[in-house]
Amino acid sequence: MAEATVRMSGIVLASLMFQHVNSDADVEGLILGESRFEEQITISDSQADHIHIEEIYNIQKHVSCHKLSDFYNSVGEVNVDRVKKILADNKQENLIGWYRQRRNTDQQMTFRERIVHEKLKRSMSNPHMIFMLLTPSKLTNPGSTHRTEYAAFISRSRRFMNVPVLVNNLGLVEQLVYWKVSAPCSAVGYNLTMKKHGSKFFSSNGFLREVNEMNKMNDSLQSELQKACSHVEESERLVETLLADVSALRKRVDEKKQQHRAGKDAEKEAAEQQNRLLLEAVRLLFTCSPLFHTQTLTLQAFPVPHVSCSTEPTTTTTTNSRKRLKETPQEKESKRRKSRS
């Protein structure tokens, strides 16, 4: 749903107030201007585009009635011929609503005003019409100071809504704010001059030729930007897929490394177990086999029998075992034969 905004110049507002102050009774009349829709597209990093539609009512002029209920009767029926007569030389297409000025009342539409507004929309075949309400009041008893409050209303599906009113030349305007205010209703000479020379500078839609070129360039830039955004989105998705694949491969590599380490540890433990078993077997073999023990040999390389004496200490036995034994008669005989030969 479009947001509605009413814009008017300070001159028009001052004219309405001045007319009401100089009259003894309430005043009502017709409002002239134009209504249009503006579409603003905002592109940000968070989202591709954001479309904002605004319905703008530009009040450019007002025509007052000579008396109350001039163009409608007591039940709210609108007289189209009387409306055209009030407009006089003004175009019917410029009619965008009507206004009423009431003293010392609230900023609310009455039931009769609502009926008149709906009948006026239906009679003029214009669903986009506004109702302007001005309610002046005295601030001091002598009447030297007055206060005038103003508000605008529109109806959508028979539901009346209060819309903001922006006065163009009142208040501080920021440096980067550009007000789009339409030109007021022009004179006949101005229209003739614009028709005569306007074709050189303006196109058929009423915009400057350079503006149309800029709009075309903007459209092409927007399309290129949309394409670039789509390419960036696809590349980001591709990068996410590649990162997921890389993380999965790294996980598989880590699992294989852990399995390889576990296999090496198991082989090492098995080798250590075998070494321990071999060491125990060698120890048992050395302790049980007399061939691997240290023994004392004779000159003929015969082992000297171990003589143990329980009554003597071990050192004495070892010393006695090292003494040369007495030669037998056979040994002596063999030595003699060797010496003779």
Side-chain angles (χ1 to χ4, degrees):
M1 183 180 293
E3 295 182 3
T5 305
V6 177
R7 293 180 180 177
M8 62 188 303
S9 63
I11 298 174
V12 177
L13 181 60
S15 176
L16 286 171
M17 294 180 180
F18 181 77
Q19 179 191 9
H20 187 54
V21 169
N22 290 335
S23 62
D24 297 332
D26 295 344
V27 181
E28 64 183 10
L30 303 177
I31 296 176
L32 303 178
E34 66 174 3
S35 62
R36 68 176 186 271
F37 288 88
E38 289 186 359
E39 181 179 352
Q40 183 179 4
I41 302 176
T42 305
I43 299 177
S44 60
D45 296 335
S46 59
Q47 55 186 1
D49 54 356
H50 175 71
I51 301 176
H52 177 73
I53 301 175
E54 185 178 5
E55 184 179 6
I56 300 176
Y57 297 90
N58 287 304
I59 300 177
Q60 302 169 353
K61 189 178 179 181
H62 67 92
V63 179
S64 61
C65 301
H66 297 288
K67 60 180 181 178
L68 296 177
S69 304
D70 194 6
F71 59 92
Y72 58 91
N73 56 15
S74 59
V75 294
E77 295 292 338
V78 176
N79 188 351
V80 180
D81 296 334
R82 185 59 185 168
V83 172
K84 293 180 180 179
K85 186 176 181 180
I86 295 172
L87 290 175
D89 296 335
N90 298 297
K91 295 181 179 180
Q92 185 177 347
E93 292 80 8
N94 295 331
L95 180 62
I96 61 172
W98 65 296
Y99 71 93
R100 186 179 177 88
Q101 299 172 345
R102 293 190 267 111
R103 285 185 172 87
N104 301 320
T105 57
D106 297 331
Q107 286 281 316
Q108 294 181 356
M109 293 182 66
T110 62
F111 181 71
R112 187 178 184 182
E113 291 171 350
R114 296 186 179 188
I115 294 177
V116 172
H117 186 76
E118 293 294 333
K119 295 293 181 61
L120 182 63
K121 287 170 54 179
R122 193 178 302 111
S123 300
M124 304 307 296
S125 301
N126 185 6
H128 304 286
M129 279 197 173
I130 62 172
F131 173 73
M132 190 79 180
L133 178 62
L134 293 92
T135 57
S137 60
K138 295 181 181 180
L139 290 180
T140 58
N141 292 328
S144 59
T145 305
H146 293 262
R147 180 182 63 184
T148 302
E149 296 180 357
Y150 52 90
F153 299 89
I154 61 173
S155 63
R156 291 176 177 172
S157 302
R158 294 186 175 273
R159 181 181 178 183
F160 286 84
M161 302 171 57
N162 190 352
V163 296
V165 180
L166 302 178
V167 181
N168 298 326
N169 59 346
L170 294 181
L172 298 177
V173 181
E174 298 180 1
Q175 296 180 357
L176 300 179
V177 175
Y178 295 90
W179 293 93
K180 296 181 180 179
V181 182
S182 60
C185 296
S186 56
V188 179
Y190 177 80
N191 291 330
L192 292 176
T193 305
M194 292 300 297
K195 288 180 180 179
K196 182 178 179 181
H197 302 283
S199 60
K200 299 178 182 179
F201 307 99
F202 297 93
S203 58
S204 59
N205 55 3
F207 293 100
L208 289 172
R209 296 184 182 275
E210 292 80 4
V211 173
N212 286 331
E213 297 297 330
M214 293 296 294
N215 289 333
K216 291 179 181 178
M217 184 180 69
N218 184 31
D219 294 339
S220 62
L221 287 176
Q222 293 292 336
S223 61
E224 293 296 332
L225 185 59
Q226 291 287 344
K227 292 179 182 178
C229 290
S230 61
H231 291 327
V232 170
E233 185 178 0
E234 291 177 0
S235 62
E236 291 292 335
R237 291 179 179 176
L238 182 60
V239 168
E240 290 179 357
T241 306
L242 292 176
L243 290 176
D245 295 340
V246 169
S247 61
L249 290 174
R250 287 180 177 176
K251 188 175 181 181
R252 291 174 59 184
V253 169
D254 293 338
E255 291 178 355
K256 288 185 177 180
K257 286 183 177 179
Q258 291 179 359
Q259 293 177 359
H260 186 63
R261 290 174 184 173
K264 282 187 175 181
D265 294 339
E267 291 178 358
K268 188 176 180 180
E269 290 179 359
E272 291 179 355
Q273 183 69 20
Q274 292 178 359
N275 293 335
R276 284 195 294 269
L277 295 175
L278 181 59
L279 181 60
E280 291 178 359
V282 170
R283 286 178 179 175
L284 292 175
L285 181 61
F286 285 176
T287 53
C288 298
S289 178
L291 296 175
F292 296 99
H293 292 176
T294 303
Q295 294 183 355
T296 305
L297 301 178
T298 60
L299 295 175
Q300 287 76 24
F302 292 102
V304 178
H306 180 69
V307 181
S308 60
C309 298
S310 59
T311 57
E312 295 180 3
T314 308
T315 55
T316 308
T317 307
T318 305
T319 305
N320 294 334
S321 62
R322 290 181 180 180
K323 290 181 180 180
R324 183 176 296 177
L325 298 177
K326 293 181 179 182
E327 296 179 353
T328 58
Q330 291 83 1
E331 292 176 353
K332 290 180 179 181
E333 187 64 26
S334 61
K335 285 181 179 182
R336 288 175 184 174
R337 289 177 183 176
K338 289 180 180 179
S339 61
R340 286 178 184 179
S341 60

